[in-house]
Amino acid sequence: MSGEINIYGVFVPSVLGWMLIAFAITTGLRMLLGRSGFYRLVWHRSLFNLALYVIVLGGTVSLIHWLQS
């Protein structure tokens, strides 16, 4: 597996693509949690959102590595 993706001669780290996927998933989860009223139970919303993003990013990277194996 290459650590970079070639886009018209520009080498972009593959982590950037994984981060964009994780951001899209996290945005959907944040909207879902906001509509369900879950954020009333959270002490610090920004820290919770950051932790949620890190967890989703880790899951995304693990899933991609598992699929490539």
Side-chain angles (χ1 to χ4, degrees):
M1 179 189 118
S2 173
E4 298 170 336
I5 301 169
N6 185 2
I7 301 176
Y8 297 111
V10 177
F11 290 102
V12 179
S14 57
V15 174
L16 179 64
W18 301 337
M19 290 172 69
L20 292 174
I21 292 168
F23 181 73
I25 294 170
T26 304
T27 302
L29 286 173
R30 286 174 44 197
M31 289 182 357
L32 181 69
L33 291 173
R35 288 184 183 163
S36 69
F38 180 79
Y39 281 123
R40 288 182 281 142
L41 304 173
V42 175
W43 171 68
H44 200 289
R45 186 174 180 167
S46 299
L47 289 177
F48 179 82
N49 288 338
L50 176 64
L52 181 65
Y53 174 73
V54 170
I55 290 169
V56 171
L57 179 60
T60 303
V61 171
S62 296
L63 179 67
I64 290 172
H65 279 294
W66 180 73
L67 289 174
Q68 288 181 350
S69 298

